[in-house]
Structures are given as structure tokens and as C-alpha cells.
Amino acid sequence: MNMQPQGLDPAGSPDTTIDVREAFGFDAKMKVPAFKTASEYVPDRDEAYRFDRETTLAILAGFAFNRRVMIQGYHGTGKSTHIEQVASRLNWPCIRINLDSHISRIDLIGKDAIVVKDGKQVTEFREGLLPWCLQHPVALCFDEYDAGRPDVMFVIQRVLEVQGKLTLLDQNRVIRPHPAFRLFSTTNTIGLGDTTGLYHGTQQINQGQMDRWNIVTTLNYLPHDEEVDIVVAKAPSYATPERKKLISAMVRVADMTRNAFINGDLSTVMSPRTVITWAENAEIFGDVGFAFRVTFLNKCDELERASVAEFYQRCFGEELPESAAKVLVA
């Protein structure tokens, strides 16, 4: 099995620049390189996406000046999506790798594979995604960077330098990074491990490695009004003033779950994506309360459902059925 993507020109390089104000809506004294045409590896563009200024500038600096950029924040804030949406405006190929506990050094670097050549079975080294990305004009994003295994983290440390070369010991070969290779990561913690108890499974990151990330930025949940505008943009049937108040109440519920999550009182949190889904489901069922239960409440721990139902009651003035009750839709 070929572990590498196909169809991307390794000789490709940015061939134009973009205007930051025109593309993202705010001023910046930098010219950002971009590609005139998009390949199949460029993320789909979301026209309704709203960019956080500081996070966007950090990502643009990564693309323009080959900085290694780490984005830290709670889950559901849109860290990875932010990188993808910037890449989509630049037509820059972007590949995400989730560093869960199953990703090993072999997965990243490559391994020997048995292939058939001239009718004979032979052993051939197949490169993994890391050497492939290094040799192509690709923005590589490591998701859940602070959950990576130690053997994987030391492999990544080799390429964190701007001119970081990767040595393939199995091949006695040194790979030099493509001029348009870029490296990003997203984390829930800031390299110190799970100090809050919210993110089990995260690891402390070697401080020598943290020092190699040129830019570290934090992305928090959106301000209330901005999130309301995003949900309405995604669910345009709520664009009237009266129905927009409904979305505002939904976002208030989400804000309460986030505060409870940050304080350690809740183990599940509503992301902006969840609010959008709730609004869409409310359209389907014609019932905001039932849509809330099937979208979010039923995902919560049974011991926490009463608290979450109280958040709903405060914002909508309506009591939900007991969390243990089952609703049958005829």
C-alpha cells in the first residue's frame, strides 16, 4: 500500500501574492505568497468563516516567513480549521496529521514494504507522510501535538528548524525541506502537560522542542456577538431579527457550558460547530428544546445533564423533560 498522497508537483512554488486586507479584512504590513491555482490538497473554502485577527496574523507569518507556528486553545475553538481556511485563501496545499497514541515513528518516517517488480517480490522502502510533505509545497499541521508519543516527538524535533533536514537512517539519505514547506501544530495545553485535569492523555513537551516553535498564539472561544453572526451565516433561515434572538439564546447556553467546563464542573462543552448543528436540527424538528437534547444534552454524562438542562432553562425560560426520559418521534 502506498502511504504517500499523489498528484502534487514537487517543483511547485508560490507564484503570486495576496492582499491581507482584501482576503482577511484587516491590515498587516506583510505580503503573503500564494498559489494562483488550487490543487486537490487545498482545503475547501468556507465563505462564511470569520477570522480571529491575532491568530490569522500568526498563521500568515508562518506562510510568509517560514515560521513554525503553534496554536493553543480549548477544543472546539477552531484551531485546525483556522489554519485550513488561511491555506484555502492562499491555495496552499495543507495536510493534517492527528498525533493520537496510534501514530508511531514508522507511520511518519516510512517502512519497508513488499512490492512486485518484474514479476518478483522485492522489499522496498516506502516513505511516510513526513518525508513526503518535506519534499513538496505543503503546509503540514500536527493536530493534538501535545498528545504525541515520545518517539514521534523526537522525529518531529529534527525538522522544526527552518532549515531542518530529515535523515532517513534506513536509506542513508538526508532530505532537505522544500522552500514552500510549512509546519504548524495545534495543542490543548501549552507544553506543560495536563495541569488543569481537562485533557487526559496529553504530555509535557520537551522545552528544547518548545523553544523551536517560532510563534505560539492562543485561540479562545469567539465573543458572543461574533459567534451569533457565524451561526446565522451558516443557518440563513435565522437571519430575521426575531430568529436571531433565538440564536443569541443558543450561544448563551454554549457560553455557560464553556464556563462550567473551564471551571471543571462539566466534562463536555458546546463548540460553535455544536451550536450550528443545534440550529439546523431545530429547523428539522421544529422544536428547539428537543433539538438541544438530541444535539448536545444526550452526549453529556448522566450526572451532569441536570446542570446542563438548567442552563437551557435560564436562557429559554422552558423546563426540559428529565434527562433520563426518552423521546419518541412519531
Side-chain angles (χ1 to χ4, degrees):
M1 179 179 176
N2 194 341
M3 293 179 286
Q4 306 168 12
Q6 300 294 316
L8 191 62
D9 181 10
S13 292
D15 49 10
T16 186
T17 58
I18 62 114
D19 181 271
V20 173
R21 171 185 281 277
E22 184 177 321
F24 301 99
F26 43 75
D27 294 324
K29 295 181 179 178
M30 69 172 77
K31 291 184 178 179
V32 184
F35 293 84
K36 290 180 181 177
T37 57
S39 74
E40 60 183 304
Y41 300 106
V42 174
D44 294 333
R45 182 167 176 154
D46 181 356
E47 296 294 347
Y49 194 80
R50 301 294 180 93
F51 291 93
D52 174 78
R53 186 178 188 276
E54 291 186 1
T55 303
T56 304
L57 288 178
I59 296 170
L60 289 174
F63 280 109
F65 302 103
N66 198 11
R67 303 283 84 187
R68 304 311 195 209
V69 181
M70 174 184 285
I71 304 176
Q72 182 268 337
Y74 293 109
H75 69 281
T77 54
K79 301 181 294 295
S80 304
T81 308
H82 222 97
I83 296 169
E84 285 189 326
Q85 287 305 307
V86 171
S88 73
R89 268 65 174 179
L90 306 178
N91 282 333
W92 207 298
C94 182
I95 290 179
R96 288 169 56 182
I97 299 178
N98 194 309
L99 292 186
D100 57 46
S101 60
H102 297 289
I103 294 291
S104 67
R105 177 186 178 280
I106 288 177
D107 294 322
L108 283 186
I109 297 296
K111 60 185 177 181
D112 289 329
I114 297 175
V115 297
V116 177
K117 281 190 175 181
D118 300 325
K120 297 180 180 180
Q121 287 187 344
V122 297
T123 301
E124 183 179 273
F125 182 78
R126 292 294 180 88
E127 293 178 351
L129 268 177
L130 182 56
W132 184 89
C133 289
L134 269 170
Q135 298 171 83
H136 289 80
V138 164
L140 176 59
C141 176
F142 287 117
D143 283 333
E144 313 301 339
Y145 186 74
D146 47 358
R149 291 164 39 165
D151 59 328
V152 170
M153 303 307 281
F154 280 110
V155 169
I156 296 171
Q157 185 164 328
R158 303 180 199 173
V159 300
L160 276 174
E161 302 289 350
V162 173
Q163 299 301 325
K165 302 166 189 166
L166 180 64
T167 302
L168 295 180
L169 298 177
D170 312 73
Q171 299 291 293
N172 296 325
R173 185 158 67 96
V174 176
I175 296 177
R176 298 174 183 273
H178 189 285
F181 170 75
R182 299 293 184 267
L183 190 59
F184 300 89
S185 69
T186 67
T187 71
N188 294 130
T189 67
I190 201 64
L192 301 176
D194 184 27
T195 58
T196 64
L198 300 178
Y199 295 106
H200 304 295
T202 55
Q203 315 288 338
Q204 284 190 342
I205 300 175
N206 182 306
Q207 287 302 299
Q209 183 169 140
M210 279 296 296
D211 192 51
R212 287 172 167 82
W213 288 97
N214 311 121
I215 297 174
V216 178
T217 186
T218 299
L219 182 62
N220 290 316
Y221 293 110
L222 292 165
H224 179 92
D225 292 341
E226 287 187 27
E227 185 168 345
V228 170
D229 290 340
I230 289 173
V231 177
V232 171
K234 288 290 189 179
S237 62
Y238 291 89
T240 65
E242 190 62 33
R243 288 174 66 76
K244 194 171 181 179
K245 292 179 182 177
L246 190 63
I247 297 296
S248 181
M250 291 180 177
V251 174
R252 279 199 301 274
V253 175
D255 289 337
M256 289 180 179
T257 68
R258 292 162 193 168
N259 290 333
F261 174 77
I262 291 170
N263 293 332
D265 299 326
L266 202 64
S267 58
T268 312
V269 67
M270 288 185 73
S271 69
R273 184 187 301 111
T274 307
V275 180
I276 293 169
T277 303
W278 178 13
E280 293 170 342
N281 287 344
E283 283 286 277
I284 293 171
F285 297 114
D287 186 331
V288 175
F290 177 67
F292 176 70
R293 296 175 69 199
V294 298
T295 304
F296 181 71
L297 187 61
N298 290 344
K299 297 177 184 177
C300 298
D301 186 290
E302 288 188 13
L303 298 176
E304 298 174 349
R305 290 181 186 176
S307 298
V308 177
E310 184 181 339
F311 297 156
Y312 180 90
Q313 193 277 331
R314 288 184 200 171
C315 296
F316 286 89
E318 174 189 342
E319 291 284 354
L320 291 174
E322 295 180 3
S323 60
K326 294 182 179 179
V327 178
L328 299 177
V329 181

